Amino acid sequence: MQYFEKNSRALDYILSKDQKKHVILKYLLDQELSLKIYPFDKKAVIKKYLEEDEKVLIRMPEDWEEAGEKKVSLFKILAKYIEIDCQFLQQAEKDLYLLKVERLAIAKLNRESPRVNVPNGKTVVTNLITPKTVIEANMFNIPTLVKVNLEDYKNRLKKTSSDNIVIEAFKPGLDRKFEIVKRSRKSLLLEDTQNANSYSESGPDRLDYSKEVDDDIGTMIRKFKDQKIVSELIRPIIYKNHSDQPIPIGYIWIQSKDKKLSSDYLTELGRLSEEVVGRIKESNTIKTTEKFRVFDASPKGLKVKIHDPNLIDTLTKQEDFIFDILFKMQAPLTVSAAIRWWGKDEDGNLTLGLEFKGKSDHPGERDRYIKNLELMQKGAL
């Protein structure tokens, strides 16, 4: 089983013995705590606190095996989240274990809103808008949909130009100038390869060749002269993924032997680059209309179970996504939510902790959502 938390809680650590004693005796003694092992369904009870040695005697679940658990973390959620980290010492009796308290921490903030348990089938999420493939900065295998779209735009450009045109994905082994374009996400333009001044021209989105690529201008001038190249440009293609992160996935590389490539032409290629990215994003977007169970809900977010294999693979790499919340016999509510944590159970199913982003574009939708939670909490929905 796997568990990953994207935004850990901000915690205050209790350092003094007196404070530890107070928290454990008042809030944790003889209380059921959850073992911090996903899916957090194993419970333990602190039966005794030995103040002098800062040790606890804990009743563990019957199927707990101490041999593989030298470090033990437990938590309880009251008004605030409380976590206790311990080191296993020894087994005292059949299900009682002696542990050394190493750290005790309390969340800095109270839980903002209560969670409402959702009976199975009462609320689901559907119409998930997600990528088919998560495109990352250092992908070893470039998705086919990226290659197809880059090839299509290269063929379109070649129909109206006699220049040497290459539109490809970045890959290992390219010349250093391509690596710099990729890393900086800036364009490279040499309007006149035989004019030394061209090698020092720059701008906010344009590299200074002499400072950032190669300061041996004389050698480059001779090289371009031998190749009969009048002008050269490299424009990065910046893909913004579904979380709006900029990723340089490819480049437009043009060498002309009969004319000078201008800064206006570079700008025009920027618009082409955006069009390419739009096509790739459109090709890479899928709507999943299957319904997925909601376990609990609050005014701030949801906990939902995902069983679709493609979504299980892609959502763990996402920051956020758009979907519909569907209460039984009601119109859907469309929301955007950030993934705060995820876990996979023994069957490989994915559970997501989601936090809503911003407010709904449709007046009254948030009020309708809150009203549904209130009715569900009363058992009236």
Side-chain angles (χ1 to χ4, degrees):
M1 291 185 285
Q2 295 174 274
Y3 177 76
F4 180 75
E5 196 169 356
K6 295 198 175 188
N7 294 83
S8 300
R9 289 180 174 87
L11 301 174
D12 282 323
Y13 289 93
I14 309 302
L15 301 178
S16 77
K17 281 189 175 183
D18 288 341
Q19 286 179 311
K20 288 180 185 177
K21 175 185 176 182
H22 172 74
V23 172
I24 291 173
L25 294 182
K26 182 170 183 179
Y27 299 109
L28 303 181
L29 191 67
D30 288 322
Q31 298 296 311
E32 193 174 68
L33 285 79
S34 299
L35 283 168
K36 202 172 180 184
I37 303 171
Y38 183 78
F40 316 122
D41 55 354
K42 296 185 185 298
K43 308 297 180 182
V45 179
I46 297 178
K47 301 303 296 180
K48 190 175 183 179
Y49 177 59
L50 307 175
E51 179 184 357
E52 185 176 345
D53 299 320
E54 294 187 273
K55 296 175 183 176
V56 287
L57 192 65
I58 298 185
R59 174 168 286 119
M60 289 292 193
E62 291 183 5
D63 58 351
W64 187 73
E65 297 181 5
E66 76 279 2
E69 301 288 346
K70 296 302 180 186
K71 301 288 184 181
V72 181
S73 292
L74 307 101
F75 69 90
K76 188 168 184 64
I77 299 176
L78 300 168
K80 290 185 178 181
Y81 171 92
I82 303 175
E83 181 175 299
I84 181 168
D85 299 327
C86 306
Q87 181 179 11
F88 170 77
L89 296 176
Q90 65 185 67
Q91 184 174 8
E93 296 180 20
K94 180 183 177 183
D95 58 351
L96 289 173
Y97 298 85
L98 190 64
L99 285 78
K100 169 75 173 176
V101 177
E102 293 190 328
R103 296 196 307 179
L104 180 64
I106 300 177
K108 291 180 182 289
L109 300 174
N110 288 351
R111 173 169 281 184
E112 291 186 40
S113 51
R115 295 180 184 176
V116 179
N117 289 325
V118 177
N120 192 9
K122 291 287 186 180
T123 309
V124 297
V125 300
T126 187
N127 296 332
L128 285 71
I129 307 298
T130 59
K132 296 176 185 176
T133 303
V134 176
I135 295 176
E136 298 172 290
N138 295 307
M139 295 188 77
F140 184 75
N141 292 313
I142 304 300
T144 301
L145 64 91
V146 173
K147 294 178 182 177
V148 168
N149 279 286
L150 295 183
E151 183 69 21
D152 180 46
Y153 275 86
K154 179 179 74 174
N155 293 334
R156 282 174 54 181
L157 263 184
K158 281 190 169 183
K159 286 181 180 177
T160 58
S161 175
S162 60
D163 297 329
N164 178 33
I165 298 172
V166 175
I167 304 182
E168 288 186 352
F170 284 111
K171 54 190 175 184
L174 288 172
D175 190 85
R176 182 171 177 270
K177 60 188 176 185
F178 293 96
E179 292 297 331
I180 294 171
V181 167
K182 180 182 178 181
R183 185 173 64 248
S184 66
R185 303 201 295 269
K186 292 182 177 182
S187 297
L188 179 64
L189 173 61
L190 296 175
E191 294 189 39
D192 184 352
T193 62
Q194 300 307 297
N195 184 343
N197 292 330
S198 288
Y199 292 81
S200 58
E201 292 179 2
S202 62
D205 297 312
R206 184 172 160 186
L207 291 167
D208 183 322
Y209 190 101
S210 62
K211 290 181 179 179
E212 299 175 82
V213 182
D214 193 341
D215 60 1
D216 188 358
I217 306 304
T219 297
M220 292 311 303
I221 288 176
R222 289 192 297 273
K223 184 177 179 180
F224 280 121
K225 185 176 182 180
D226 291 342
Q227 295 173 343
K228 298 181 180 179
I229 295 170
V230 173
S231 192
E232 177 181 66
L233 68 77
I234 306 172
R235 175 104 200 183
I237 298 172
I238 310 298
Y239 179 86
K240 284 198 173 182
N241 64 17
H242 286 68
S243 299
D244 216 31
Q245 298 171 318
I247 297 171
I249 56 168
Y251 59 90
I252 303 170
W253 178 31
I254 300 178
Q255 291 182 321
S256 179
K257 294 186 176 184
D258 57 14
K259 64 178 179 294
K260 295 176 182 177
L261 304 173
S262 67
S263 55
D264 288 342
Y265 185 52
L266 185 64
T267 301
E268 185 183 329
L269 290 178
R271 289 190 287 270
L272 175 70
S273 175
E274 291 174 1
E275 189 178 335
V276 173
V277 168
R279 280 276 300 275
I280 291 172
K281 196 163 187 177
E282 183 181 341
S283 303
N284 195 34
T285 299
I286 187 172
K287 176 189 278 192
T288 304
T289 57
E290 198 170 350
K291 295 180 174 63
F292 302 96
R293 180 185 173 185
V294 174
F295 285 107
D296 63 48
S298 77
K300 297 288 185 179
L302 303 167
K303 181 167 77 173
V304 61
K305 183 176 182 179
I306 304 294
H307 52 265
D308 178 271
N310 184 63
L311 291 177
I312 289 171
D313 179 57
T314 58
L315 285 176
T316 55
K317 302 167 187 173
Q318 286 293 107
E319 296 295 327
D320 49 37
F321 62 102
I322 296 169
F323 58 92
D324 286 346
I325 304 171
L326 198 60
F327 290 96
K328 204 167 184 178
M329 306 297 290
Q330 294 185 31
L333 302 167
T334 301
V335 298
S336 174
I339 299 171
R340 292 306 180 203
W341 61 265
W342 60 262
K344 288 184 182 179
D345 61 23
E346 292 176 344
D347 297 323
N349 293 316
L350 179 69
T351 301
L352 298 174
L354 303 174
E355 181 182 353
F356 299 139
K357 294 176 64 179
K359 296 180 180 179
S360 171
D361 293 333
H362 303 287
E365 284 205 340
R366 177 172 171 78
D367 291 339
R368 178 158 70 93
Y369 174 76
I370 299 296
K371 183 66 175 177
N372 275 299
L373 292 190
E374 292 171 351
L375 291 172
M376 194 175 292
Q377 197 167 26
K378 296 174 184 176
L381 184 64

